[in-house]
Amino acid sequence: MARRSNRKKGSGGGFVLTLILVLLAIAVAGGIYYAASRGGEKDVLDKGLTGSSAVDLREESKEAHRAVDDILLSKDNWQLTDNGREDQHERMKETGGEVVWNKRQLAIGVPPSTGLEGAADWLGGKIAGTKMLVLNQRDATYNGWEAVRMEIAISAKAGTGKMNFVTDTVYFYHNLNLTKEDKDIKEDESKKKDDKKTTQKYHGKLAVIIDDCGYDLAPIRKLVKLNAPFSYAILPYKDFSSDALHVIKGGGKTAMLHLPMEPMDRTAMSEGKATILTDMTADQVQQVTRKAVDSLPGIEGVNNHQGSKATSNEATMKALLKVLKQQGLFFVDSSTYSKSIGDQVARSMGVPTARNNIFLDNSANEDDIIAKIWQAVEMADRNGSAIAICHARPHTAAAWSRVIDEVNASGIQLVPVSSLLK
């Protein structure tokens, strides 16, 4: 009985051991198969042995980041800014599993002489043939600047097909502080509109003041990017007054205060309590002027916003100009009224001054603005110099962008308004 009992026990133990070995073999074989299925290229639709699971592409994302950086860092005249990265998660409806990868935003500052489309095309060409691909490329904006946006992705196996996962969103924009030109990427001249008027060689100096800065930053940035010596007059207390000052000074341009002053029709006054009025006392005029000047540190001069009534009032102008003289600021009479005496009073008080000769953008039509620009060029050629005023508006910025190269090539010398003061 005992031997029989022992035989049964031994036989049962052998069966259990055999079963364990078989299960281990299956598990090992399955593990080897599963590991093999995930070795090399991962399949985002692979369920594995235990059903839906996460597929981690973060290491592949980081490899893509490093590869893009290596390409971009070969440009010693570009500036790279990493604006942050974070993990992305997407649920695969076919399996219920989740794909995890990493995505970042890059901002690439390039010199003004480098075409944005050309810079993006250059990067796309370098990426071609790698494990990465460019999904799309289009015009965009970056912090208010004109830009070209492109998305770079990695491709992963998805069953019998492929799926793309964006790892880099890249913005190319012009950084005015970068001066070293690219050898292989230029502005695409074929995309520029032909507004040439260079058959006549002009002489003389033309100063341009951009009025009404403070409402919208985009036109200011576009104009500053042209790298012309324009002067910019900023309205005080607007939403973007301080930002406009930062952009203008950062671009190395002349910043001015566009001081609100009383027009002939007080009901048409646009700036309310910030406006210099003719019925103010001298102390009140000076108080309003000082406050406006102090709101924009670093300005070099002042011109009037509206002001047809105030600039033709001697007492008002004397009170205002006393502040400007104390602070070493110049005054440009915007000439909103033919009988304005602002520049005359300034000259008599020893304040450096000048007077506007022509407004360029009374029309919003770009062709009309361009015609006025050439009229100003001819005026400067005829008289030796001229001052023109236009405004920080989209159509004005677009018109200057179309014509700036031709103006520069015409022989006329664009100068800061400070160089035409008397």
Side-chain angles (χ1 to χ4, degrees):
M1 292 289 293
R3 282 197 298 271
R4 188 176 180 181
S5 175
N6 286 341
R7 242 188 338 263
K8 286 182 179 180
K9 184 176 180 181
S11 174
F15 174 76
V16 171
L17 179 61
T18 301
L19 181 61
I20 291 171
L21 290 173
V22 169
L23 291 174
L24 282 173
I26 293 172
V28 169
I32 292 171
Y33 168 79
Y34 187 61
S37 72
R38 289 185 173 264
E41 188 175 9
K42 298 175 181 177
D43 189 342
V44 299
L45 297 183
D46 186 2
K47 290 186 177 181
L49 290 177
T50 59
S52 60
S53 59
V55 177
D56 193 337
L57 298 178
R58 283 176 289 191
E59 190 56 41
E60 289 83 350
S61 302
K62 292 176 183 177
E63 288 177 7
H65 296 332
R66 287 192 288 267
V68 170
D69 288 347
D70 288 343
I71 294 170
L72 292 170
L73 289 171
S74 68
K75 287 286 188 182
D76 63 358
N77 58 338
W78 290 10
Q79 183 184 66
L80 280 64
T81 304
D82 189 327
N83 288 325
R85 59 190 74 194
E86 61 182 1
D87 287 346
Q88 307 293 305
H89 302 264
E90 184 174 345
R91 183 73 59 183
M92 298 291 102
K93 62 181 181 181
E94 296 88 345
T95 66
E98 186 178 63
V99 179
V100 184
W101 75 102
N102 191 264
K103 181 181 177 182
R104 67 174 177 172
Q105 186 193 92
L106 276 183
I108 312 300
V110 301
S113 60
T114 301
L116 298 178
E117 287 276 0
D121 290 343
W122 176 85
L123 177 58
K126 295 292 184 181
I127 286 173
T130 70
K131 295 181 180 180
M132 301 173 289
L133 68 155
V134 176
L135 288 189
N136 64 66
Q137 181 177 316
R138 60 179 175 80
D139 290 339
T141 58
Y142 173 72
N143 287 345
W145 295 92
E146 287 187 345
V148 169
R149 180 183 187 271
M150 72 187 305
E151 289 185 329
I152 299 171
I154 55 174
S155 184
K157 184 179 179 182
T160 58
K162 294 280 187 180
M163 286 187 68
N164 299 321
F165 299 90
V166 176
T167 56
D168 290 88
T169 301
V170 184
Y171 288 89
F172 292 90
Y173 70 100
H174 283 132
N175 185 326
L176 300 180
N177 295 316
L178 302 175
T179 57
K180 185 178 179 182
E181 293 189 5
D182 278 305
K183 295 179 181 178
D184 51 349
I185 306 173
K186 303 292 183 183
E187 286 282 11
D188 187 351
E189 296 295 329
S190 67
K191 293 182 180 179
K192 293 182 179 180
K193 296 186 178 180
D194 186 12
D195 292 301
K196 293 185 179 179
K197 188 173 180 178
T198 57
T199 54
Q200 181 178 351
K201 195 70 175 176
Y202 293 102
H203 301 277
K205 297 178 179 181
L206 176 63
V208 178
I209 299 175
I210 311 296
D211 272 358
D212 287 359
C213 299
Y215 288 114
D216 185 0
L217 287 179
I220 300 171
R221 285 177 166 148
K222 189 167 187 176
L223 287 161
V224 169
K225 190 181 77 172
L226 298 179
N227 210 26
F230 296 155
S231 304
Y232 295 80
I234 308 167
L235 282 164
Y237 319 125
K238 294 299 178 185
D239 289 343
F240 297 105
S241 296
S242 295
D243 292 323
L245 180 66
H246 177 74
V247 171
I248 294 160
K249 298 291 286 183
K253 308 307 174 191
T254 300
M256 302 168 56
L257 165 65
H258 197 35
L259 183 61
M261 300 176 70
E262 185 181 357
M264 286 296 179
D265 180 4
R266 187 176 284 198
T267 63
M269 198 167 68
S270 68
E271 302 306 310
K273 294 180 180 180
T275 305
I276 301 293
L277 303 175
T278 54
D279 57 4
M280 286 179 171
T281 66
D283 286 344
Q284 289 173 326
V285 169
Q286 290 169 4
Q287 183 179 2
V288 172
T289 302
R290 286 194 190 94
K291 184 178 178 182
V293 169
D294 291 344
S295 73
L296 296 168
I299 60 168
E300 298 177 42
V302 175
N303 75 335
N304 55 289
H305 171 69
Q306 299 185 322
S308 52
K309 187 172 184 179
T311 58
S312 56
N313 184 291
E314 185 174 1
T316 300
M317 289 308 304
K318 281 185 174 180
L320 182 159
L321 289 162
K322 184 176 181 180
V323 175
L324 304 194
K325 185 172 183 178
Q326 289 170 345
Q327 303 210 23
L329 302 174
F330 63 78
F331 176 75
V332 175
D333 192 325
S334 297
S335 194
T336 56
Y337 182 49
S338 61
K339 296 181 180 180
S340 169
I341 58 171
D343 58 327
Q344 297 174 32
V345 178
R347 197 170 295 114
S348 71
M349 294 177 63
V351 175
T353 190
R355 188 183 186 97
N356 173 46
N357 301 116
I358 183 172
F359 285 98
L360 304 179
D361 55 356
N362 290 329
S363 166
N365 181 280
E366 288 179 27
D367 291 333
D368 291 344
I369 297 169
I370 288 172
K372 281 288 190 179
I373 290 171
W374 285 113
Q375 187 177 335
V377 168
E378 290 164 356
M379 183 182 295
D381 178 68
R382 185 169 58 251
N383 300 325
S385 67
I387 295 173
I389 288 180
C390 52
H391 299 80
R393 299 169 183 161
H395 292 298
T396 303
W400 271 112
S401 296
R402 287 172 54 186
V403 80
I404 187 65
D405 288 340
E406 287 72 44
V407 171
N408 285 331
S410 72
I412 208 70
Q413 184 182 357
L414 291 173
V415 297
V417 71
S418 56
S419 68
L420 298 184
L421 303 173
K422 297 179 181 178

